[in-house]
Amino acid sequence: MRRSIWVYLRRAVLLVLLAGATLYSLFPMYWMVISGLRAEHKLFDPILTPGPYSWQSYLTIFSLTDFPTYYANSIAVAIGTTLLTVVVVTPMAYALVRSRLPGMMLMVRAMLFAYMFPAILLAIPIYIFLVKIGFDDTRLSLILTHCTFTMPLGVWLMWGFFKNFPFEVEESAFIDGCSRLQAIYRVIMPITLPGVLTVVLFSFVLSWSDFVFSLILISSDELKTLPYGLASIDDAYDANWGELMAGSTMICLPLLLLFAFLSKYFIRGLSMGAVKN
Amino acid sequence: MVTLRRSETVALPAPARMSRVGPLEKRERRLFLTFLAPGLVLAIGAIFIPVLYAIQLSFYHAESFIDTPTFVGLGNYLRIFADPRYWEAFWHGILYAVLTVSLQVVIGIAIALLLHQEFRGRSWLRSASLAPYILPTVVVVYIWTWLLNMNHGLINAFLDRLGIGAVGWFETPLASWFTIVFVSVWHWTPFVIITFLAALQTISEDLYDAAAVDGTNAWQRFVYITMPVLKPVLVVIIMLRTIFMFNKFDIVWLLTRGGPLTATEHLPILAYQKTFAMFDIGGGTAVATSIFLFLTLLIWLYFRLFPLEEN
Amino acid sequence: MQHTRMRRRRFLQTLGAAGGAALLGSTGLVSPARAAKKTTIRFFNNETDPNTIAFLKQIAKEYQDVAGVHIKVETVPVLKTWTKVTTAIKAGKPYDFITFGQVTHPLLLVPERKIVPVTDIVREVGLEDFGPRAITWYQDQVWMYPYDYNFNYLIYRKDWFEEKGLQVPNTWDEYLQVLAALNDPKNKRYAYTMPISSGGHTNWGNTGWLWAAGVKIYDDEWNVILDSPEIKPRVVGTLEFLTKAAQYTPPGLLETSLKDMLINFTSGLSAITTYTGRLIHTIEDRAPELADKYGIMAYPAPDGGPRAVTFANDGFSIGNTRNTEATLEFFRWFLKNGKLVDYQLTVAVHYQPPQYSTYKNEKWRSHPLVKKHWSAIEVMLDFMNTDKTRVGSIQLEGPGPSPNQGRIWNSYVIPKMYQQVLLKRLTPSQAVDEAAKEIRSFTKKG
């Protein structure tokens, strides 16, 4: 009898704590979504489940600002960055693990070093350099500079991935008479897919979320990506909170969708970074 | 030709491939170099050259991008190091890193332990607790400035109703510090949660069961079983996070612009201000380079403590 | 006359070229883009209002049809103007036509000859048409054609003034009495919203009191006189006045942003706020019920006398590029065809025209918003009367344009001086000394 009370109590405490943790994590997002949907004159009422609802904030942000352009830019830049990262990083990480060339560990370390570098420190010199060669304020320059953080992370993740990858699989391919390139193509690529997916996910999210490089590199309205675009809508139009929250929700939507379906790969990527090392 | 290569591959036993000579080795080496080349080009073009260029600029005086730079030697460095504002910003960076990292670790461990319990919907809750991490920083800042807004924010309305009264979350240096630390911790704690959860999963349940049979209490099990597993992860995380947080620019910039006064100004903000607002490109790049050197030192230390080859 | 003929000829030429190109293009001989060897004017625009942007795009289309010249409008927020314009020059892609949010920036480009004077164009329009301070001479030339005074002033709730039987105050003491009478925190109604935090919004939106008190930062040789025996008492007086006024502000004084200034006024939280015509526009959009319940006034001086407004002239400049001639031609076309008035009417009461003729222009006067808010516009005209109003600004300090003014602006030294006092870190006297010290540390003479 006493034991079962103890079990119930323990369960209740656990429940309360879990509810608290969930509220802590999710409530701000709930408030973001709700604020974007509330009618403007009700926006300042501090009620938790507020109505009436209205699409007005969404209509305003879509019709009166360059938000659709920013959206298109973000999609282009994030996809460009992701593709470039995967194409560059996968063979590089493979070579870093498998080749016996000198200086491989040094390169891995250099990559990690580059990854630890804060965006703002890289952004200022990169910007000054791009200005010097006349290449600032372009989408391509943004893609290339986003690679300065997606690439080191990608190499790091794929390096860890290939390192734990049993050599025997490749060997059996060699024995079947494949060249290394064929072995890579036929055997390694398919098994590498989960690792690549993790890199894809991280590259996309990091590029999509970037504010600093966009702030420093991009000036023209027609080239801005979403996070900086939203900040400049705020500056230029004195946007209302409803519009800002509608814009924020729209920015988060693809990320939350990706996350909902692929959270496994996120978690894998995150825990790989620290635990393995 | 093709057949020959194949037979060669088959003929070579695994240990022989490690030897340094042979036509195959050469061909493979070429293949590997091709694999490495794009990444190296990108790294050199997008990271190394610009950084070197910035270091070069830190020895020059230039008021704008169209100005012709004049060489001033170490002048910019002497000037920034003599400025008390630089050192104030330096210590702000340290304080910010220490506060945010320690809170992230404490809250992160607590939530990780909670989510490690067995209950229905666990994986769903794990995903939910991760969500703040994937939001873009700009969005995080907007959500919280809206929630914390002085006159119209939900949190102040709630405090008001409780009879505590509205709080000016950006009014005083202390309140601003609380705000930047709190919002940063909210945003980045999930990283710690996930890492610790992964570490916790490596502990076998049998250990706990055996310990429970021995009549230990929960606290003892935490100290003697859980902590030893978490400790190495903890050290790595503290190290990594400190390096990250010391230089977080966007969240502080967007929340306070370094204010009120210069109460929350740290070195990245100072570098940005000098370069883009104070017509002082040499000074800005000198501040950036000084952070670069400090960070290099930290990262070198990190590699000394945790050599990569160990695992 | 000659102008129209030329335009027609050019128009026909363009048509011919386009037809020819289409023909060649269809036969696959020459790509259309290469056949029409066209000039492209790069138009740097920092007015981000959607109406203005839409209008500029329409103008570009119209001019393409008229002159066959392509105009590429690139919109950049005003805060990034300087960085973007200079980096574009550095990168070898200079802008041909530029809107500037302050006159210092174009003048800083003069020594390197990166822009060309618009003196002739201003003379063609007539110098006497421009209001006080609208035209800035530098090296005997005019380098920016102004289109908006962008004055900062005080906007107040007329109905609440009437309710309490209050008059528009003429001295600082009267102003404080008005604030005391209006303030009603119990009913969530506060007297006055002003910005204090570090940022352009305070440099522009809360320096009017300093100019009203006759504060000067520099003498004519770039010596800092903010803490001189003559000026310092005025600054101290202003700081003491702001401390008193701060009792009547809504909570959150240190986080007040431009957004708060708009929201506080339109939501009825605040009876007076500092702003410009943009607020009148926001009232139309978001709180139309206030459209006949507000009034505007300049900042009163401490003991009566001429009032003050803060000035932040916006204008057009023309880059020294290979398209300079084409751009000058475009700008003349723009002015002669009344496009400037159309441009100013895109956000009607927000832009305050610096030319007297605009106020007499039928099209401008008959715009519904101008008509509706005519009483406010009459007060705006007073701002252009040097007997009644003093015009001040950080940009106007010192003997001429210099990065020094930009440094005062961007270092937020004035907002910080306010914060030192309002956070009770320093006494007003100490705060002035510290601000003067900081200004000295970054001021470069000559």
Side-chain angles (χ1 to χ4, degrees), chain B residues 32-107:
Chain B
F32 282 134
L33 285 176
T34 325
F35 279 8
L36 290 170
L40 285 178
V41 169
L42 195 62
I44 290 169
I47 305 177
F48 291 101
I49 294 178
V51 167
L52 289 179
Y53 180 58
I55 295 176
Q56 187 201 340
L57 267 182
S58 70
F59 298 108
Y60 286 82
H61 171 81
E63 294 203 336
S64 74
F65 293 108
I66 52 168
D67 211 8
T68 322
T70 44
F71 186 74
V72 291
L74 287 171
N76 288 325
Y77 289 93
L78 296 177
R79 189 161 50 89
I80 59 163
F81 290 142
D83 186 357
R85 192 163 161 190
Y86 176 91
W87 295 107
E88 201 191 315
F90 176 84
W91 291 111
H92 285 158
I94 302 267
L95 181 65
Y96 175 69
V98 168
L99 285 176
T100 50
V101 171
S102 48
L103 280 169
Q104 280 176 55
V105 167
V106 170
I107 299 177

Side-chain angles (χ1 to χ4, degrees), chain C residues 289-345:
Chain C
E289 70 279 4
L290 295 182
D292 57 349
K293 296 195 177 90
Y294 78 91
I296 68 174
M297 62 171 149
Y299 292 87
D303 304 308
R307 296 162 165 269
V309 288
T310 304
F311 157 97
N313 226 2
D314 296 332
F316 302 113
S317 292
I318 291 173
N320 186 9
T321 65
R322 58 194 167 84
N323 293 325
T324 297
E325 283 310 311
T327 312
L328 283 165
E329 200 172 315
F330 161 71
F331 191 42
R332 287 201 163 92
W333 172 86
F334 184 83
L335 293 173
K336 282 188 181 143
N337 290 282
K339 302 297 179 197
L340 180 61
V341 169
D342 295 344
Y343 175 78
Q344 287 159 331
L345 285 174

Side-chain angles (χ1 to χ4, degrees), chain B residues 63 65 151 171 261 277 279, chain C residues 82 90 251-252 254 407 410 419:
Chain B
E63 294 203 336
F65 293 108
N151 294 303
E171 280 291 279
L261 295 167
F279 302 93
Chain C
W82 175 249
K90 177 84 185 169
L254 268 133
R407 290 192 188 98
N410 289 328
Q419 292 164 39

Side-chain angles (χ1 to χ4, degrees), chain A residues 25 28-29 32 205 209 248 251-253 255-256, chain B residues 130-140 143-144 186-188:
Chain A
S25 302
M29 271 174 267
M32 164 183 84
V205 171
S209 307
S248 298
I251 296 178
C252 296
L253 204 64
L255 298 181
L256 292 172
Chain B
L130 238 186
Y133 187 72
I134 63 152
L135 301 185
T137 304
V138 173
V139 170
V140 170
I143 294 175
W144 282 104
W186 185 80
H187 189 17
W188 283 298

Side-chain angles (χ1 to χ4, degrees), chain B residues 137-193:
Chain B
T137 304
V138 173
V139 170
V140 170
V141 167
Y142 276 126
I143 294 175
W144 282 104
T145 36
W146 172 221
L147 278 166
L148 296 170
N149 183 280
M150 182 74 222
N151 294 303
H152 307 291
L154 188 71
I155 289 178
N156 272 350
F158 181 67
L159 293 177
D160 212 19
R161 202 160 294 174
L162 287 183
I164 298 169
V167 175
W169 298 103
F170 300 90
E171 280 291 279
T172 59
L174 191 69
S176 294
W177 265 95
F178 175 85
T179 307
I180 59 171
V181 169
F182 174 79
V183 176
S184 308
V185 168
W186 185 80
H187 189 17
W188 283 298
T189 300
F191 176 81
V192 181
I193 301 177

Side-chain angles (χ1 to χ4, degrees), chain C residues 157-166 182 184 189:
Chain C
R157 286 289 292 266
K158 227 193 248 168
D159 53 334
W160 292 358
F161 268 57
E162 279 161 18
E163 215 172 84
K164 307 247 174 189
L166 299 168
L182 288 167
D184 186 8
R189 188 189 277 190

Side-chain angles (χ1 to χ4, degrees), chain A residues 127 137 215 219 221 234 236 239, chain C residues 48 50 75 80 84 87 259 286:
Chain A
Y127 175 71
D137 209 10
L215 166 77
S219 307
D221 253 358
D234 183 28
Chain C
T48 39
T75 303
K80 283 209 133 189
K84 185 60 201 165
T87 54
K259 197 199 312 295
R286 295 196 166 146

